[in-house]
């Protein structure tokens, strides 16, 4: 809310500051500015106040063209060098020529070297600037990576030692030089002249450039090169140069390399401690060459580490070692244009992904445990899975989760858009797949993430003979089987349409883990809202719990879209009023009410069906996503029907709890239970209660929906349903309105195939252990007689309208607390022949009347009289003709209780 009180002007300033922080050009400006500042400050020529101005000009040029800014700094320094020593000016020309060749690719390295080598000599050898050299070398090693750290350290240290030797001065970077070795020096290259006044600057520049071509300068060129070469030789072989170069190369390499291998939030500070290995070497140098050991070096090293720690405490990551290593590996994938999406990822670990605790636990146990706990992996022979398939609705965070995992593992994470592999040329697609796997093995350990893997792995039965799909799939299967042991290449696939995948792709050894990325649950949705609104102006009235409830079935992407739309509403209002308008609950609710979730209930059913068929996971149980559904029905909500309850319990629980005793008595559990009777008597209700009370998977076959598929397809659906139940025992298969698809054969064309398949499945040729078929019908006389024999429907129950006691119980259940004080016995007496549905409707009407009165400002109690008035206007839904029909059926087939 505080942010909302700030003006737009304040926020505009903050916005520009934020843009500046993220601006690549700004950092280019700063780097080139500092390089030019120390270069011009180390060579006395320009007035002190003019040096930062010229350096800033170089920086401004570098903002757009960085290499041009670096070159300009060298050109500005050229007349200064010529002014101090025309002979050294020719030497500087060679340096400028080198810069011209390297500046396009390595301008940042050149500017960094300007800072590191010239800071110890700038502005009168101030000690503070020498400390910058040590800190700068550490930062440069972090930024440029371990390979380029040598290219930074060796030239920087060598140039510092070289300049100290030819100028016969100590440097403030605490890198000692035995000056006696180099005395008396060579006067033509000593820098001893004073700064030029501003008024004399133009003439001095002209004179300096002309002095390069004087006879004296030209005659001494070869002498300077010879003297310089001699000094380099002395530095390396008479002085301590080799030791200094070697120890700094090792130290900076370790600093950078360790920052890419050490884990934890303080890895930069810990890795920077490696610079302290230079201390004993410098102590040894001081003794051997008699130059002494300066304690200020320890202070400079400690100060540099402290600065790194302060920078790191603000969350700034300087090190790019891991990024450099991954970019090096990415070059081998150049043909395919793949990207390592873990580079620059905002998710640094699995903890940065909200919700999905069950999935994260599964991935941690199966991947992180064997890779990070080597002792456990060795003891138990643990290996990471060769493949993981993530399936689920779009927008649930499949890619984000794997990117976080790859970042935490420090593995390369190569994102492959499956459709891009396919080629119009014969054989090219298969070659692409093989090449990707070959490169991955060379760059192991890594993760290959195939997005939209259904493009490559569709069922082969859906293709024609000439299609490329089956050939590509065969190649991919071969490559997944051929991943060598010891080469950790984890194949991860993601799909929104898992039903289209070929079964060969789904077997263990290829995809060892098949994980359902379900929609976020209520707690996760709450956290997702908080994450997206965390750094934004919000009002105090936002109820995250309420938002989570109202966004049932929303994916993470859906919630992000809701927040974005609400932000647009707030921004539009802020533009009109000229002040910050916080995002309010009203705006969020307006968007939520206007949009629909991207995943339909039908799609969720498909995912859950695939989950039952194929999901492989042994970790935490998945969180079930909430779905709009009626209140859960329990046994207590069903009045009467005790015999039916007992039969269901015996069919499901007895085989599980007392299997040994059933074998002893050679008792087989009931295979099928048929409930018939008038509509509204509770047939479907008791089956719903059974599905909630019993710990059994529940498969429902809607007869009307089944026949919509056509008779041929209906046979396949039936077969799949029974197979799914067998694989997820104990299971209940509920067939409602069974007479719709299983009438007497010959009554309709095509029915025989469906009935025949149903009978085959019930006969249990494949075994139905732990599976119970429950069916309900209002028209039992229409059923095919073959269904009714024992061995198919072992139990047949007639569910009549409730008796007196049952009707009392139903009134009590549906009236709830309003039943107190009512004469339930009288109500039950006057409702003879009424079904449970009839009584439920009467109770509903009574409660609705009381609600209408309360809304009108009047309190109206539900009384026996008011309920009787409603009953007097109703008729029972069961007719005598219907009861006669059931009586005929029972006379012919009887009941089997």
């Amino acid at each position: 809310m505080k942010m909302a009180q700030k003006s737009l002007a304040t926020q505009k300033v903050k916005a520009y500051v934020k843009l500046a922080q993220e601006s690549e050009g700004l950092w280019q400006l700063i780097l080139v500015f500092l390089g030019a500042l120390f270069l011009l400050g180390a060579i006395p020529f320009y007035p002190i106040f003019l040096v930062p101005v010229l350096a800033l000009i170089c920086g401004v040029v570098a903002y757009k063209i960085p290499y041009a800014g670096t070159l300009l700094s060298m050109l500005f320094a050229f007349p200064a060098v010529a002014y101090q020593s025309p002979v050294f000016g020719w030497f500087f020309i060679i340096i400028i020529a080198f810069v011209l060749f390297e500046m396009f690719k390595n301008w940042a390295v050149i500017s960094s070297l300007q800072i590191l080598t010239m800071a110890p000599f700038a502005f009168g050898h101030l000690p503070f600037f020498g400390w910058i050299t040590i800190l700068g070398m550490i930062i440069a090693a972090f930024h440029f990576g371990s390979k380029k750290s040598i290219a930074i350290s060796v030239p920087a240290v060598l140039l510092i030692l070289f300049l100290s030797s030819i100028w016969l001065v100590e440097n403030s970077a605490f890198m000692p030089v035995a000056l006696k070795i180099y005395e008396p020096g060579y006067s033509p290259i000593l820098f001893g002249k004073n700064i030029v006044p501003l008024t004399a600057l133009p003439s001095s520049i002209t004179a300096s450039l002309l002095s390069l071509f004087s006879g004296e300068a030209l005659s001494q060129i070869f002498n300077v090169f010879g003297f310089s070469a001699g000094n380099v030789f002395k530095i390396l072989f008479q002085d301590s140069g080799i030791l200094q170069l070697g120890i700094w190369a090792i130290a900076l390499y370790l600093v950078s390399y360790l920052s890419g291998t050490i884990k934890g939030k303080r890895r930069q500070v810990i890795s920077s401690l490696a610079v302290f290995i230079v201390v004993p070497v410098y102590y040894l140098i001081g003794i051997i060459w008699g130059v002494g050991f300066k304690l200020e070096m320890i202070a400079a090293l400690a100060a540099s580490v402290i600065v790194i720690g302060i920078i790191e405490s603000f969350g700034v990551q300087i090190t790019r070692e891991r990024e450099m290593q991954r970019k090096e590996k990415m070059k081998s994938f150049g043909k395919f244009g793949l990207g390592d999406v873990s580079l620059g990822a905002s998710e640094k670990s699995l903890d940065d992904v909200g919700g999905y605790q069950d999935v994260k636990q599964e991935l941690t146990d199966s991947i992180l445990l064997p890779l990070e706990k080597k002792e456990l992996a060795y003891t138990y022979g643990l290996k990471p899975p060769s493949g993981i398939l993530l399936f689920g609705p779009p927008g649930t965070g499949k890619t984000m989760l794997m990117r976080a995992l790859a970042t935490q593992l420090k593995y390369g994470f190569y994102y492959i858009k499956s459709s891009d592999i396919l080629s119009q040329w014969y054989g090219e697609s298969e070659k692409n797949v093989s090449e990707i796997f070959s490169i991955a093995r060379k760059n192991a350990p890594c993760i290959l993430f195939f997005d939209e893997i259904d493009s490559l792995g569709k069922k082969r039965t859906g293709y024609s003979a000439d299609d490329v799909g089956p050939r590509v799939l065969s190649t991919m299967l071969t490559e997944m089987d051929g991943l060598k042991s010891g080469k950790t290449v984890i194949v991860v696939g993601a799909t929104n349409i898992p039903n289209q995948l070929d079964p060969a792709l789904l077997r263990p050894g290829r995809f060892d883990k098949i994980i359902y990325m379900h929609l976020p649950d209520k707690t996760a949705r709450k956290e997702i809202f908080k994450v997206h609104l965390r750094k934004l102006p919000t009002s105090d009235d936002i109820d995250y719990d309420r938002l989570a409830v109202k966004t049932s079935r929303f994916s993470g992407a859906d919630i992000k879209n809701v927040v974005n739309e609400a932000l647009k509403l707030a921004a539009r209002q802020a533009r009109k009023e000229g002040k910050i308008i916080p995002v309010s609950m009203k705006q969020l609710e307006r968007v939520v009410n206007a949009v629909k979730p991207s995943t339909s209930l039908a799609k969720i059913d498909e995912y859950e069906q695939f989950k039952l068929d194929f999901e492989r996971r042994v970790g935490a149980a998945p969180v079930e996503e909430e779905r709009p559904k009626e209140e859960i029905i329990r046994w207590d909500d069903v009045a009467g029907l005790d015999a039916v309850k007992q039969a269901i319990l015996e069919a499901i629980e007895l085989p599980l709890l007392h299997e040994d005793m059933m074998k002893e008595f050679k008792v087989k559990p009931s295979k099928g239970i048929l409930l018939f009777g008038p509509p509204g008597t509770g047939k479907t209700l008791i089956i719903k209660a059974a599905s909630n009370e019993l710990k059994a998977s529940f498969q429902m076959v809607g007869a009307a929906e089944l026949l919509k598929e056509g008779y041929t397809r209906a046979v396949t659906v039936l077969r799949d349903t029974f197979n799914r139940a067998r694989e997820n025992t104990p299971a209940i298969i509920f067939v409602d309105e069974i007479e719709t698809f299983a009438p007497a054969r010959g009554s309709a064309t095509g029915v025989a195939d469906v009935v025949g398949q149903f009978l085959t499945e019930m006969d249990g040729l494949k075994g139905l252990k732990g599976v119970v078929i429950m069916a309900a019908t209002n028209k039992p006389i229409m059923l095919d007689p073959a269904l009714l024999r024992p061995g198919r429907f072992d139990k047949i129950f007639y569910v009549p309208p409730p008796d007196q006691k049952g009707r009392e119980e139903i009134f009590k259940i549906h009236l709830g607390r309003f039943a107190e004080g009512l004469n339930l016995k009288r109500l039950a007496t006057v409702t003879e022949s009424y079904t449970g549905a009839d009584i439920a409707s009467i109770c509903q009407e009574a409660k609705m009347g009381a609600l209408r009165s309360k809304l009108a400002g009047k309190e109206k109690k539900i009384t026996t009289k008011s309920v009787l008035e409603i009953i007097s206007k109703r008729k029972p839904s069961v007719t005598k003709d219907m009861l006669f029909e059931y009586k005929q059926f029972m006379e012919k087939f009887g009941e089997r209780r």
Side-chain angles (χ1 to χ4, degrees):
M1 189 65 181
K2 292 180 180 179
M3 189 183 290
Q5 299 171 354
K6 298 177 181 178
S7 67
L8 278 178
T10 304
Q11 291 303 108
K12 184 180 288 186
V13 172
K14 286 194 170 186
Y16 282 120
V17 170
K18 178 69 174 176
L19 288 173
Q21 291 175 343
E22 297 175 352
S23 171
E24 185 178 354
L26 179 64
W27 294 110
Q28 293 171 180
L29 183 152
I30 292 173
L31 181 62
V32 173
F33 166 76
L34 291 175
L37 180 71
F38 289 122
L39 176 62
L40 298 177
I43 307 171
F45 179 66
Y46 297 105
I48 294 295
F49 68 87
L50 188 60
V51 169
V53 175
L54 296 175
L56 185 60
I57 293 173
C58 297
V60 170
V61 172
Y63 185 84
K64 289 292 185 183
I65 312 173
Y67 59 82
T70 300
L71 177 62
L72 185 61
S73 67
M74 299 298 289
L75 296 178
F76 279 151
F78 182 51
V81 173
Y83 166 73
Q84 290 290 342
S85 170
V87 182
F88 198 78
W90 286 102
F91 187 84
F92 198 74
I93 288 174
I94 297 175
I95 297 176
I96 293 176
F98 174 79
V99 170
L100 282 170
F101 281 107
E102 293 293 329
M103 66 181 183
F104 299 100
K105 185 178 179 181
N106 294 312
W107 66 269
V109 174
I110 295 169
S111 290
S112 298
L113 284 172
Q114 288 177 343
I115 298 172
L116 301 178
T117 57
M118 305 312 293
F121 304 100
F123 304 106
H125 305 81
L126 292 176
F128 173 77
F129 293 124
W131 289 25
I132 287 178
T133 295
I134 295 175
L135 175 62
M137 286 198 295
I138 296 174
I139 292 175
F142 279 143
H143 182 77
F144 293 108
S146 57
K147 289 187 176 180
K148 285 191 176 181
S149 65
I150 297 175
I152 293 289
S153 59
V154 171
V157 175
L158 183 59
L159 282 172
I160 291 171
L161 297 176
F162 176 72
L163 293 175
S164 287
S165 71
I166 64 172
W167 291 341
L168 296 177
V169 294
E170 296 284 353
N171 60 78
S172 59
F174 316 110
M175 296 178 185
V177 175
L179 294 179
K180 291 181 180 179
I181 298 176
Y182 310 98
E183 290 177 349
Y186 189 57
S187 57
I189 57 175
L190 293 176
F191 286 10
K193 297 180 181 178
N194 295 322
I195 294 173
V196 176
L198 181 63
T199 54
L201 198 59
S203 58
S204 297
I205 292 174
T206 303
S208 300
L209 296 177
L210 291 174
S211 67
L212 291 169
F213 301 97
S214 65
E216 183 181 357
L218 293 172
S219 65
Q220 293 175 338
I221 290 176
F222 292 104
N223 293 335
V224 169
F225 281 108
F227 177 79
S228 299
N231 270 26
V232 171
F233 181 86
K234 291 177 182 178
I235 289 170
L236 295 176
F237 300 107
Q238 296 182 29
D239 207 343
S240 59
I242 289 181
L243 276 177
Q244 294 193 55
L245 292 173
I247 193 60
W248 276 111
I250 294 170
L252 295 179
Y253 181 87
L254 286 174
V255 165
S256 182
Y257 179 77
L258 291 175
S259 70
T261 56
I262 293 174
K263 298 177 182 179
K265 295 182 178 179
R266 310 297 294 181
R267 59 195 177 100
Q268 291 182 145
V269 170
I270 295 172
S271 60
S272 65
L273 292 173
V275 295
F276 279 97
I277 67 171
V278 305
V279 173
V281 174
Y282 271 96
Y283 183 77
L284 184 64
I285 289 171
I287 295 175
I288 295 174
W289 277 273
V291 292
F293 176 73
K294 295 184 178 180
L295 292 175
E296 292 95 325
M297 167 170 271
I298 297 177
L301 293 172
S304 299
V305 173
I306 291 171
V307 171
I308 295 296
I310 294 172
I311 292 173
E312 195 169 43
S313 66
F314 284 99
V316 178
Q317 290 293 318
I318 308 170
T319 177
R320 295 169 64 236
E321 176 65 16
R322 293 172 186 162
E323 182 179 344
M324 301 293 286
Q325 290 175 0
R326 289 180 178 179
K327 283 184 176 179
E328 191 67 27
K329 290 183 177 180
M330 281 306 304
K331 292 178 181 178
S332 57
F333 288 97
K335 170 184 173 181
F336 303 99
L338 304 187
D340 188 342
V341 296
S342 62
L343 293 175
S346 57
E347 305 85 15
K348 302 303 180 186
S349 71
L350 291 174
D351 295 334
D352 295 326
V353 180
Y356 295 106
Q357 297 304 321
D358 57 309
V359 179
K360 289 191 285 187
Q361 185 64 48
E362 183 76 21
L363 295 173
T364 299
D365 292 344
S366 60
I367 299 178
L368 292 179
L369 184 64
L371 291 178
E372 295 190 341
K373 301 293 183 181
K374 301 296 184 184
E375 66 281 6
L376 292 177
Y378 173 77
T379 304
Y380 295 100
L382 301 179
K383 294 180 180 179
S386 57
I388 300 171
L389 177 66
L390 300 176
F391 72 94
T396 50
K398 296 182 283 294
T399 304
M400 179 178 66
L401 189 68
M402 291 311 302
R403 183 171 59 217
L405 177 67
T407 306
Q408 185 167 334
L409 279 172
K410 316 302 182 286
Y411 275 23
F413 184 81
Y414 306 120
Y415 178 91
I416 303 163
K417 192 172 181 181
S418 302
S419 56
D420 289 347
I421 296 177
L422 301 177
S423 172
Q424 61 179 326
W425 306 109
Y426 189 89
E428 186 70 18
S429 301
E430 301 94 294
K431 182 182 176 183
N432 289 342
V433 172
S434 296
E435 194 169 341
I436 284 175
F437 275 90
S438 175
I439 297 170
R441 283 189 285 267
K442 293 176 183 176
N443 290 281
C446 66
I447 294 174
L448 289 179
F449 183 80
F450 288 87
D451 200 7
E452 301 170 356
I453 195 171
D454 45 274
S455 301
L456 301 176
K458 278 185 181 178
K459 293 178 181 177
R460 284 170 280 194
T461 54
Y463 289 100
S464 64
D466 296 330
D467 283 330
V468 69
R471 300 197 307 272
V472 173
L473 177 58
S474 297
T475 304
M476 186 164 183
L477 296 177
T478 303
E479 291 293 342
M480 291 181 73
D481 290 339
L483 291 176
K484 299 177 183 177
S485 59
K487 295 286 187 178
T488 306
V489 178
I490 301 174
V491 179
V492 180
T495 180
N496 304 320
I497 44 176
N499 288 321
Q500 293 192 14
L501 294 176
D502 193 278
L505 196 61
L506 302 175
R507 74 158 174 81
R510 287 165 182 162
F511 284 122
D512 297 319
K513 294 286 181 183
I514 299 179
I515 301 174
Y516 179 29
M517 284 291 290
H518 50 77
L519 292 170
D521 61 4
K522 180 182 175 183
T523 303
R525 294 196 298 273
K526 180 179 175 181
E527 291 303 315
I528 293 169
F529 269 111
K530 286 184 177 180
V531 166
H532 289 303
L533 291 168
R534 184 168 50 200
K535 297 181 180 180
L536 298 169
T538 57
S539 61
D540 298 328
D541 67 340
I542 293 182
D543 186 343
Y544 290 102
D545 289 305
R546 186 177 173 188
L547 285 173
V549 171
K550 291 176 73 70
T551 52
S552 177
R553 207 157 36 91
F554 277 54
S555 67
D558 292 332
I559 293 174
K560 182 179 180 180
N561 181 56
V562 167
V563 173
N564 288 340
E565 292 299 323
L567 289 173
K568 291 176 184 177
L569 294 176
R572 192 183 307 160
Q573 188 177 350
R575 183 180 179 184
K576 289 180 181 178
E577 300 184 19
K579 62 179 182 180
I580 297 297
I581 301 296
V583 179
S584 66
M585 184 68 182
K586 181 178 179 182
Q587 292 163 338
L588 289 166
E589 284 191 303
R590 176 181 170 186
V591 178
V592 169
N593 294 333
V595 299
K596 299 292 182 184
S598 58
T599 307
S600 66
L601 290 170
K603 290 299 294 182
I604 292 177
D605 285 336
E606 290 181 16
Y607 293 130
E608 289 180 344
Q609 195 175 77
F610 186 85
K611 171 187 167 186
L612 282 173
D613 289 342
F614 293 104
E615 188 175 39
R616 282 194 291 273
R617 55 187 303 163
V618 293
V623 178
E624 295 295 336
E625 63 272 13
E626 303 101 319
R627 295 177 58 183
K629 58 183 177 181
E630 56 194 289
E631 188 176 348
I632 293 176
I633 298 168
R634 303 294 184 191
W635 287 130
D636 295 338
D637 299 323
V638 183
L641 303 180
D642 294 330
V644 180
K645 291 179 187 177
Q646 186 63 30
I648 295 172
L649 289 171
E650 288 178 356
I652 296 294
E653 292 189 342
L654 277 180
L656 293 175
L657 302 177
H658 305 289
E659 184 178 5
D660 54 341
M661 294 181 68
M662 292 185 74
K663 286 180 179 179
E664 180 184 346
F665 287 91
K666 296 182 179 180
V667 176
K668 293 182 179 180
S670 298
K671 189 181 296 183
I673 300 172
L674 175 66
L675 307 180
F676 72 93
T681 51
K683 299 184 294 298
T684 305
L685 187 72
I686 194 170
I687 293 171
K688 288 182 178 179
S691 71
N692 291 323
E693 291 281 3
L694 299 174
K695 295 180 178 179
S697 63
F698 190 75
Q699 305 277 326
M700 183 169 180
V701 180
E705 293 182 5
L706 186 67
L707 293 180
K708 286 180 183 177
E709 302 283 347
Y711 290 111
T712 303
R713 174 65 182 153
V715 169
T716 304
V717 172
L718 270 179
R719 184 176 61 248
D720 291 345
T721 301
F722 274 85
N723 287 338
R724 192 173 297 113
R726 291 186 186 96
E727 292 170 358
N728 295 277
T729 57
I732 297 173
I733 298 175
F734 173 48
V735 185
D736 202 7
E737 300 172 352
I738 189 172
E739 77 282 353
T740 307
F741 80 86
R745 280 168 285 188
S747 60
T749 305
V751 165
D753 293 338
V754 180
V755 177
Q757 182 65 39
F758 191 74
L759 293 175
T760 301
E761 297 292 346
M762 287 197 72
D763 284 339
L765 295 177
K766 298 179 182 177
L768 280 176
K769 184 179 179 181
V771 179
V772 177
I773 298 95
M774 300 184 66
T777 179
N778 303 321
K779 295 287 185 180
I781 202 71
M782 293 177 60
L783 291 173
D784 191 286
L787 282 171
L788 302 174
R789 74 162 174 82
R792 285 167 181 162
F793 283 114
D794 299 304
K795 302 285 187 180
I796 299 178
F797 291 93
Y798 173 49
V799 185
D803 58 12
Q804 171 84 13
K805 183 181 177 182
R807 293 195 295 275
E808 284 186 40
E809 188 66 25
I810 294 171
F811 270 113
K812 186 176 181 181
I813 290 171
H814 287 287
L815 286 173
R817 62 186 179 87
F818 300 106
E820 296 179 8
L822 299 186
N823 189 342
L824 298 180
K825 188 174 182 180
R826 184 181 177 190
L827 295 176
T829 302
V830 299
T831 51
E832 187 175 357
S833 298
Y834 280 63
T835 66
D838 294 333
I839 295 172
S841 177
I842 292 168
C843 296
Q844 183 72 9
E845 181 61 30
K847 290 187 285 187
M848 183 59 72
L851 175 60
R852 291 194 198 100
S853 298
K854 188 169 184 178
L855 291 174
K858 302 176 183 178
E859 288 289 340
K860 179 183 177 182
K861 291 186 177 180
I862 298 175
T863 62
T864 304
K865 183 180 178 181
S866 64
V867 177
L868 287 172
E869 286 179 5
I870 296 171
I871 295 172
S872 66
K873 300 174 184 177
R874 304 286 184 98
K875 296 292 181 183
S877 59
V878 180
T879 64
K880 291 181 180 180
D881 292 339
M882 294 170 64
L883 294 175
F884 180 73
E885 183 180 324
Y886 298 129
K887 183 179 179 182
Q888 280 186 317
F889 180 82
M890 284 199 294
E891 288 175 353
K892 185 175 181 180
F893 294 99
E895 276 191 285
R896 286 195 289 270
R897 291 175 174 268

